[in-house]
Amino acid sequence: MKRQHRENVLMASLKLNGKTALITGGAQGIGLASAEAMARAGANIIGFDLIGSDRSQLEAAVSAQGRRLLKIEGDVANEASWSEARRVVESKSGGLD
């Protein structure tokens, strides 16, 4: 099965309108691809990336789908970063779906 066809089949079954998704490592690689797919399926995206990450591709991908992006900086290996991320998510977006 060709990649585009597989993606179309997956996206047809994935409906995330009005949902919010937290993506770690969304600035590049698998995280960016996941954020693009979820935004295409209708989700708003919270991108949790290392401090100083270039998020220009993530911003472009999410905005191209007409979705909102909330950017959070931190380190997924640091418990304090997760606590702060949770606080920001709850205060700015009302939580995750």
Side-chain angles (χ1 to χ4, degrees), residues 48 72-73 79-90:
F48 185 40
I72 301 175
E73 291 187 330
E79 190 173 330
S81 286
W82 275 114
S83 294
E84 177 63 11
R86 184 176 58 241
R87 186 193 66 74
V88 171
V89 166
E90 290 172 356

Side-chain angles (χ1 to χ4, degrees), residues 27-39:
Q28 61 184 351
I30 294 170
L32 177 59
S34 297
E36 287 177 304
M38 290 188 178

Side-chain angles (χ1 to χ4, degrees), residues 1-12:
M1 192 181 294
K2 294 190 179 207
R3 179 176 184 229
Q4 186 62 46
H5 178 70
R6 283 192 311 260
E7 185 175 311
N8 290 341
V9 169
L10 174 63
M11 296 315 299

Side-chain angles (χ1 to χ4, degrees), residues 6-7 14-15 18 21 29-30 47-48 51-53 55 68 72 74 83 89 92 96:
R6 283 192 311 260
E7 185 175 311
L14 191 59
K15 305 246 186 287
I30 294 170
F48 185 40
I51 295 169
S53 294
R55 294 189 185 108
R68 292 188 315 268
I72 301 175
S83 294
V89 166
K92 301 258 180 175
L96 297 174

